[in-house]
Amino acid sequence: MLSKCEGIVIRTSDYGEANKVVTIYTREAGKIGLMARGAKKPSSRFASLTQLFTYGHFLVQKGSGMGTLQQGEVISSMRGIREDIFSTAYASYIVELTDKSTENEKSNPFLFELLYQTLSFMNEGYDLDILTYIYELKMLSVLGLYPCLGQCSICQAKDGVFGFSIREGGLICHRCFEKDPYHFKLTPAAVKLLRLLYYMDIKRLGSISVKEETKKQLKQVIDSYYEEYSGLYLKTKRFLNQIENLRQSLSPQDTQESGLQVE
């Protein structure tokens, strides 16, 4: 049976001398694996279509086992990502996180749109850190994780000074700090941004200006939460941490006031 789908290549592996197995996250059917025969040959019509991050239309032959790629059309090669080592590192983490967090052939149009928008913004040169934080926060629900960000996770207070408790799974207010002496201290700007990125529609993301210190606080909270609750150990995450350190050593520190505009 032939079917057409809209998708993004999130993983590729060689199969034999000339073939590739590609994993595509599709709008219609979620994650699917396909055999792309001859795709390793430079002259193959599938050579560009089966590159990592490629967004396109795919004509698939489905049988009892793995599907076979029959035809396709590249809509966007995400060239801007591929031409920059930092963008490649961040995008590689995004697609591996998607791959490891999802089951085969389980449709999730919301996740497809989130993946497409995130990679498109990375391709256009938007802030890589902020895009990654948004994606990580929104992927938590896919993993069945729901951090408490609307109020204190202990006393339910909605006002006061807040920190983040990994043990309690969310924000805690100053009244409850002593109940978790290992909580992360957060500035009011970091608390506001954490909530905003978790709840906002990524399509509304506009110009971004966030202090490096605020980013560090968000990264510490998100990384620690994932380490404690997700059960994921991704090779691309370790590499990304190395790349982030390199990028920060090459660029001046951002000294502007923390702020984020949405459209």
Side-chain angles (χ1 to χ4, degrees):
M1 181 178 70
L2 283 173
S3 60
K4 187 177 182 181
C5 57
E6 177 187 357
I8 296 167
V9 178
I10 61 171
R11 177 159 50 95
T12 70
S13 58
D14 295 340
Y15 188 84
E17 293 186 3
N19 308 323
K20 278 185 181 181
V21 173
V22 294
T23 302
I24 300 169
Y25 199 84
T26 71
R27 185 185 296 276
E28 296 83 359
K31 185 172 68 176
I32 60 173
L34 300 175
M35 176 67 71
R37 302 192 184 281
K40 285 177 64 179
K41 298 178 181 178
S43 59
S44 170
R45 59 199 170 110
F46 296 145
S48 59
L49 187 65
T50 56
Q51 290 188 65
L52 197 62
F53 315 129
T54 296
Y55 166 55
H57 287 132
F58 301 83
L59 187 63
V60 179
Q61 177 74 50
K62 292 288 288 181
S64 57
M66 179 181 292
T68 303
L69 181 60
Q70 295 293 320
Q71 293 180 30
E73 175 190 6
V74 175
I75 300 173
S76 172
S77 66
M78 302 291 176
R79 182 178 175 182
I81 292 175
R82 212 173 274 110
E83 291 180 344
D84 179 74
I85 186 173
F86 300 114
S87 298
T88 299
Y90 280 82
S92 295
Y93 169 61
I94 292 299
V95 296
E96 188 185 13
L97 177 57
T98 306
D99 187 19
K100 293 299 198 298
S101 303
T102 54
E103 302 173 19
N104 289 333
E105 299 185 17
K106 188 174 181 180
S107 178
N108 187 337
F110 164 78
L111 179 54
F112 173 83
E113 194 63 32
L114 176 65
L115 176 62
Y116 168 69
Q117 289 293 339
T118 301
L119 293 179
S120 294
F121 281 147
M122 286 184 170
N123 190 55
E124 293 169 19
Y126 278 60
D127 188 298
L128 295 168
D129 294 314
I130 294 298
L131 289 170
T132 301
Y133 302 154
I134 293 173
Y135 200 84
E136 288 176 313
L137 288 168
K138 293 189 178 298
M139 281 298 293
L140 291 175
S141 62
V142 177
L143 293 164
L145 299 171
Y146 300 91
C148 180
L149 299 179
Q151 59 191 18
C152 176
S153 55
I154 296 177
C155 73
Q156 286 74 58
K158 296 184 178 181
D159 65 312
V161 177
F162 287 91
F164 193 94
S165 169
I166 298 300
R167 188 178 70 189
E168 298 297 335
L171 295 174
I172 59 173
C173 71
H174 64 279
R175 306 168 191 86
C176 300
F177 282 169
E178 63 182 20
K179 295 181 180 179
D180 180 6
Y182 303 105
H183 70 272
F184 292 118
K185 291 179 172 56
L186 299 176
T187 62
V191 173
K192 180 180 179 181
L193 193 56
L194 183 64
R195 286 170 168 162
L196 178 61
L197 300 184
Y198 183 73
Y199 291 111
M200 74 176 290
D201 181 349
I202 194 171
K203 292 180 183 178
R204 299 180 59 225
L205 185 63
S207 59
I208 303 167
S209 174
V210 179
K211 290 173 64 174
E212 286 299 324
E213 182 56 36
T214 304
K215 286 185 178 182
K216 287 178 182 177
Q217 291 181 24
L218 291 186
K219 176 177 169 55
Q220 189 176 41
V221 164
I222 295 170
D223 285 357
S224 298
Y225 190 88
Y226 263 82
E227 288 170 11
E228 181 69 22
Y229 295 110
S230 75
L232 298 175
Y233 302 95
L234 309 181
K235 292 180 180 179
T236 52
K237 181 61 175 178
R238 294 196 296 272
F239 179 65
L240 179 57
N241 288 335
Q242 296 172 349
I243 285 290
E244 285 178 329
N245 292 334
L246 174 61
R247 185 165 64 94
Q248 288 172 7
S249 69
L250 294 176
S251 60
Q253 295 292 302
D254 181 6
T255 57
Q256 297 181 36
E257 287 300 314
S258 175
L260 181 116
Q261 295 179 7
V262 293
E263 296 172 342

